[in-house]
Amino acid sequence: MTDVVAIFAQVEAAVSAALAQVLPAELAGTDPVVRRSDRADFQANGALAVAKKAGVPAHAVATDVAQELWSSGFKTLCSGPGFLNITVPDGVVWSAVAARLTDARLGVAARRAGERVVIDYSAPNVAKEMHVGHLRSSVIGDALVRVLSHLGADVVRQNHIGDWGTQFGMLIQYLDEHPDASWKGQGAETMSALDVLYKAARVEFEANPAFADRSRSRVVALQSGDEATVAVWRDLVAESERAFEAIYARLGILLDDGDFDGESRYNDALPGIVEELVAKGVATESDGAVVTFTEGVLNPDGDPVPLIVRKKDGGFGYGATDLATIRLRVEEYKADRILYVVDARQALHFKMVFDTARQAGWLPESVHAQHVPFGTVLGKDGRPFKTRSGKTVRLADLLDDAENAVRAVLEAREHDFTPDELSVVVHVAGTAAIKYADLSNTRTKDYVFDVDQMVATTGNTGVYLQYAHARVASILRKAGDAVGHLDATLPAHAAEKDLALTLDAFDATLRDVAETLEPHRLCGYLYDVATAFTRFYEACPVLKADSPAERANRLALCDLTRRTLATGLDLLGIAAPERL
RNA sequence: GCGCCCGUAGCUCAGUGGAUAGAGCGUCUGCCUCCGGAGCAGAAGGUCGUAGGUUCGAAUCCUAUCGGGCGCACCA
């Protein structure tokens, strides 16, 4: 646990205390409404908000609060109708820097300790290559895993891969009839080979009724545990998982073989799910299918929209599987919070799944289940991102594109990297470009995939932040001093103070991200840190400071900046190299 | 028809009910004997889709409306 009290929290506490002094007891808990300000270090607007309730002019409340704040050491001026402009003494700023400097957690409290969060994300399909549609779930889900874990939550990752269903009957039958078709053991190409075979099987399935019949029989064989069929299925799953793990490793996604939670795992539970829903009167039969309804959800004809748990043919809908995941996650994993990082277009589905689970009593009020929706990745034409020929874009190709673009940028500049170093940098910056571009947009909005913009070295990009980090690291390397001793009696330059106050907000930012599940807030914060640092860097020489004490204070700011950027980027799943 | 998401600078986007709405790109003007110029300082550029309402105060909350995207029975 951190012992650092943020300057912001100190100011907030002081204003609260002052308000309590000035206001009648029943208004003691009023929000002090403290914000950063361009007119002072902070502004507090709490007086304005409560003046009416207190029956006193806002200006009078503000004046009295200002008086109190002076006595607790904050230079405070009233302005306008009752704004308080608060200036923090330089000594307080330096003391906070000193405290944070010795804290491995940089002032971030483990405020989510004791909370168990299950996060369902990524979810690729067996026998298919990962494509652009898996990018956002994987990247956003992973960032949320990292942030929540860092705040002390007990996070359980779940990768709900599509490893079951009628399509495997088709594929296995096709493989059986084409023993010459090779796909195994081709390394990175295994999945493309499988993908091709899968498509060929589908064509055959649609064109050849006899093959379709044999495929259906093969589904039955798979479901009833026929040894030869199951063996092929296991091969398909194992090879696919290896391929997924390779992509995760390349992208820097935490998911690994312990996180697979495929649909097949729930297969045995599905009949029970349906029976119980029917027995509890939650589900009813409709058109031969077993379905549930959610109040107020209607189709264009004005009829209720069903959630199909069992299809007319006896197969299970994915509603059934999703219900099964909830039950397991509540009962076995003891989740306090269950997150589904899934495309926004699934919103209605999840609304109905959660509603059904509540009706069935599988999702108690104490457990918070939440769909974490995200927008679509678009091409430059504003339509969902496809290749020129209209096919889905492979994730591996996206990464190649980004790395090639980074390589082009680097080669256009002077650098002294060896070829090996260069390929490392290209990889690190290329993945940063893609991930940061995805994370820095408001989660729920669509965004346009634009490689050139992503690898831009200016503006709010991953590469720019990595550069900012490398530059601070360079200063610290050159200094060689042990960072640690601060002189809190030195005056703080405006740029030093601004940087310190920006660094001060790290804890609040992460808390905000954990509450809203919006990683773009962390991106915006890190960009603020980087720009505050460059202003400081322009205005305040570090290695050539006027005195050893000034140099030490500035090195401390550099050290905190570097660690805050590195930690923040890491929480986004992005590497922070020492050189770039 | 109902529901969800989105309309903010020429473009791409930030913006927890607070004062004069901010960045980046692009355009224009300055700044390199100086720690990494992938930078900094400044200028220009806005009916925050529109109209009402709540509020001391609205880009932000509420209602209506216009525009765009998406979803709504057996694919997952």
Side-chain angles (χ1 to χ4, degrees):
Chain A
M1 212 51 187
T2 181
D3 296 324
V4 180
V5 180
I7 299 168
F8 178 85
Q10 295 178 42
V11 172
E12 207 168 40
V15 179
S16 280
L19 278 167
Q21 283 290 315
V22 166
L23 294 169
E26 65 270 19
L27 293 174
T30 335
D31 182 358
V33 196
V34 175
R35 307 278 186 269
R36 286 297 298 279
S37 167
D38 12 291
R39 300 164 186 248
D41 295 328
F42 294 96
Q43 61 175 295
N45 311 325
L48 279 154
V50 290
K52 195 157 202 182
K53 282 187 203 156
V56 194
H59 194 76
V61 177
T63 308
D64 291 348
V65 171
Q67 202 82 41
E68 290 288 328
L69 284 171
W70 275 99
S71 62
S72 45
F74 295 105
K75 195 175 118 193
T76 307
L77 299 171
C78 286
S79 158
F83 295 106
L84 292 169
N85 292 323
I86 301 168
T87 301
V88 178
D90 293 352
V92 171
V93 173
W94 287 126
S95 299
V97 169
R100 189 167 278 109
L101 201 61
T102 58
D103 180 14
R105 295 187 55 85
L106 299 166
V108 175
R111 60 184 81 240
R112 296 263 165 190
E115 180 177 341
R116 175 162 291 187
V117 187
V118 173
I119 306 189
D120 184 323
Y121 68 110
S122 194
N125 294 309
V126 162
K128 289 189 186 165
E129 292 192 274
M130 289 189 75
H131 56 81
V132 60
H134 300 111
L135 176 67
R136 302 210 69 190
S137 179
S138 304
V139 170
I140 294 167
D142 216 54
L144 296 177
V145 166
R146 292 167 186 264
V147 170
L148 290 167
S149 300
H150 191 67
L151 296 187
D154 178 13
V155 177
V156 179
R157 300 185 296 262
Q158 297 266 270
N159 191 359
H160 194 67
I161 60 172
D163 65 352
W164 198 251
T166 50
Q167 72 272 23
F168 290 103
M170 186 182 81
L171 182 56
I172 293 169
Q173 186 61 31
Y174 188 87
L175 291 174
D176 189 56
E177 295 180 16
H178 298 78
D180 50 317
S182 72
W183 56 276
K184 263 196 274 184
Q186 299 182 26
E189 295 309 309
T190 296
M191 291 307 283
S192 349
L194 257 187
D195 215 292
V196 168
L197 291 173
Y198 184 90
K199 283 173 184 134
R202 174 155 294 283
V203 169
E204 174 106 21
F205 186 88
E206 278 160 17
N208 181 349
F211 174 74
D213 281 342
R214 292 197 295 279
S215 295
R216 279 188 271 269
S217 313
R218 187 62 80 168
V219 173
V220 175
L222 178 62
Q223 286 170 342
S224 58
D226 172 69
E227 224 169 274
T229 306
V230 169
V232 178
W233 173 78
R234 283 213 188 94
D235 261 359
L236 290 171
V237 173
E239 289 282 343
S240 299
E241 289 184 350
R242 263 195 287 281
F244 301 152
E245 286 172 52
I247 291 268
Y248 294 142
R250 186 175 173 196
L251 251 181
I253 301 285
L254 295 170
L255 288 167
D256 62 27
D257 59 353
D259 303 321
F260 290 118
D261 178 60
E263 291 171 345
S264 61
R265 181 181 181 188
Y266 297 95
N267 200 40
D268 294 341
L270 300 184
I273 292 278
V274 176
E275 278 169 33
E276 218 176 304
L277 285 174
V278 173
K280 286 178 170 165
V282 176
T284 52
E285 204 199 298
S286 169
D287 264 349
V290 178
V291 304
T292 66
F293 295 103
T294 293
E295 204 182 321
V297 180
L298 305 175
N299 71 13
D301 297 330
D303 301 323
V305 175
L307 175 73
I308 294 171
V309 288
R310 197 177 69 198
K311 299 185 283 186
K312 190 154 46 178
D313 66 4
F316 297 98
Y318 77 132
T321 324
D322 282 337
L323 286 167
T325 65
I326 291 183
R327 217 160 69 155
L328 184 79
R329 290 163 187 181
V330 170
E331 290 170 10
E332 299 293 321
Y333 291 107
K334 312 287 182 204
D336 297 302
R337 205 174 177 195
I338 309 173
L339 306 178
Y340 293 83
V341 186
V342 178
D343 191 297
R345 287 171 290 198
Q346 302 287 328
L348 182 62
H349 169 73
F350 280 106
K351 179 186 165 96
M352 297 182 69
V353 167
F354 296 153
D355 178 67
T356 300
R358 298 250 184 242
Q359 288 184 54
W362 297 331
L363 188 58
E365 289 300 324
S366 60
V367 178
H368 188 56
Q370 194 178 351
H371 174 211
V372 183
F374 53 82
T376 307
V377 180
L378 305 176
K380 284 185 186 167
D381 58 357
R383 304 298 308 161
F385 196 32
K386 294 273 169 67
T387 63
R388 276 177 299 281
S389 55
K391 294 200 244 181
T392 52
V393 182
R394 306 188 320 159
L395 207 41
D397 291 340
L398 282 187
L399 285 164
D400 290 344
D401 287 351
E403 292 186 359
N404 289 336
V406 167
R407 191 180 294 274
V409 168
L410 279 171
E411 280 170 355
R413 295 174 192 279
E414 298 252 327
H415 68 75
D416 56 358
F417 290 118
T418 65
D420 283 352
E421 287 171 339
L422 184 66
S423 67
V424 170
V425 168
V426 160
H427 167 254
V428 160
T431 52
I434 285 200
K435 294 177 90 171
Y436 193 85
D438 196 287
L439 293 167
S440 59
N441 283 287
T442 301
R443 199 193 66 224
T444 51
K445 289 173 78 164
D446 298 347
Y447 76 91
V448 175
F449 192 92
D450 179 347
V451 175
D452 295 328
Q453 197 280 326
M454 286 177 188
V455 302
T457 56
T458 56
N460 189 10
T461 68
V463 182
Y464 172 78
L465 290 183
Q466 287 180 321
Y467 173 75
H469 174 268
R471 194 156 61 151
V472 195
S474 165
I475 294 172
L476 289 164
R477 259 199 317 275
K478 281 203 175 111
D481 310 24
V483 174
H485 296 293
L486 256 88
D487 184 346
T489 66
L490 283 187
H493 186 282
E496 291 175 321
K497 199 170 183 183
D498 185 58
L499 176 57
L501 290 174
T502 303
L503 292 167
D504 188 68
F506 193 39
D507 175 57
T509 302
L510 293 179
R511 177 184 57 204
D512 195 27
V513 171
E515 278 168 13
T516 60
L517 306 176
E518 292 180 349
H520 81 275
R521 294 169 187 266
L522 177 53
C523 297
Y525 171 74
L526 294 176
Y527 186 64
D528 283 347
V529 171
T531 53
F533 176 77
T534 52
R535 279 193 297 272
F536 157 80
Y537 175 86
E538 290 289 325
C540 306
V542 178
L543 301 181
K544 293 168 188 169
D546 289 338
S547 69
E550 190 176 75
R551 174 183 164 110
N553 282 18
R554 289 178 179 174
L555 275 171
L557 283 170
C558 288
D559 183 69
L560 264 188
T561 301
R562 193 201 65 72
R563 288 160 60 202
T564 302
L565 286 174
T567 305
L569 284 170
D570 181 61
L571 294 178
L572 294 171
I574 295 172
E578 291 278 317
R579 292 178 62 223
L580 193 64

